[in-house]
Amino acid sequence: MAHTAQFTAAEAAFVLREPVRTVKKALDAGPVRPVLLRRAGASVRAIGWSDLFYLYAVRALRDELTPKARTEFYQALQQTPIDRRDEVRFGRFRISISDLVEEVERRTTDLTVLAEKVAFRADGEPLLKGREIEVYRIAALLDGGASIEQVLEDYPLLSRKEIETAQAYADAYPKAGRPYPRTSVKRALQGAGLEALDEA
């Protein structure tokens, strides 16, 4: 399998199951070499598959690699494409990587599957596939402190899985520009003691 995709910090965070700020710190610290990509009209840092694999592998092997060994491991990964070998050798180390490669491939496939659960409106706004509900609207409610149960009350046609998809998509592909409100109109009315207007 050829590994040619590029991953933003947010996409890498989804794959690594790490906070975005942790991934950004790792990009700043090196030895990975991010490049600048144009996405949605903005420049963002991105890394290739081998750098993503390195970030995953050093977390999996964190107790076994010294800082010097991590740098040597990274340099060894750059010498031969990962998909052409089962182990990496450097210094006195021989590290079997086939299970680590399989896990990163599975997680990057999860990222692809997540993107397939979203459709796009003519203006480019992502919607939950089969629904006319904006992904970022649902994610904003969750970010604002609403529970999944509360979102289900406001959007009874959605399933729990669709709400989780909206949150995961918004995490992996953060919204550019003005954010959605972090509370629904219904909850805003209730908070203001105007429930009767909602029922009228």
Side-chain angles (χ1 to χ4, degrees):
M1 172 182 199
H3 302 120
T4 57
Q6 298 281 342
F7 301 87
T8 64
E11 290 167 334
F14 175 91
V15 172
L16 299 172
R17 314 291 195 258
E18 297 270 2
V20 176
R21 68 181 176 277
T22 301
V23 173
K24 287 182 176 178
K25 271 189 189 175
L27 299 187
D28 292 339
V32 296
R33 300 181 188 119
V35 297
L36 281 180
L37 291 181
R38 293 291 291 173
R39 291 240 180 128
S43 291
V44 293
R45 289 190 301 172
I47 56 174
W49 202 94
S50 64
D51 282 349
L52 179 68
F53 173 77
Y54 167 80
L55 292 176
Y56 175 78
V58 294
R59 280 157 179 73
L61 303 167
R62 77 180 78 210
D63 295 332
E64 299 163 44
L65 296 177
T66 65
K68 181 176 183 247
R70 289 177 192 167
T71 301
E72 291 173 351
F73 178 48
Y74 180 79
Q75 291 166 347
L77 286 173
Q78 304 310 304
Q79 292 172 3
T80 308
I82 291 171
D83 50 357
R84 294 194 193 157
R85 56 195 164 151
D86 294 326
E87 71 176 18
V88 175
R89 297 181 185 195
F90 58 96
R92 290 181 289 174
F93 290 93
R94 292 173 61 180
I95 298 177
S96 173
I97 63 169
S98 54
D99 60 328
L100 300 174
V101 169
E102 286 175 15
E103 179 62 17
V104 176
E105 286 176 344
R106 185 184 67 72
R107 291 183 181 201
T108 55
T109 299
D110 289 347
L111 186 63
T112 302
V113 169
L114 175 65
E116 290 169 354
K117 292 179 180 178
V118 170
F120 290 89
R121 209 165 51 198
D123 64 0
E125 185 70 25
L127 308 171
L128 287 164
K129 195 171 265 188
R131 308 283 187 197
E132 288 298 315
I133 299 172
E134 297 92 345
V135 166
Y136 296 125
R137 182 178 303 281
I138 300 303
L141 297 177
L142 295 169
D143 289 344
S147 66
I148 289 179
E149 287 70 26
Q150 289 171 322
V151 175
L152 285 170
E153 285 175 24
D154 291 346
Y155 294 90
L157 294 178
L158 291 181
S159 69
R160 179 176 289 271
K161 283 271 189 202
E162 287 171 318
I163 293 169
E164 290 169 353
T165 293
Q167 183 67 71
Y169 185 90
D171 288 345
Y173 303 97
K175 178 172 173 45
R178 180 177 292 179
Y180 275 98
R182 299 179 103 182
T183 187
S184 67
V185 172
K186 182 177 181 181
R187 297 211 181 271
L189 290 172
Q190 288 173 345
L194 302 173
E195 299 86 21
L197 291 176
D198 190 38
E199 294 166 5

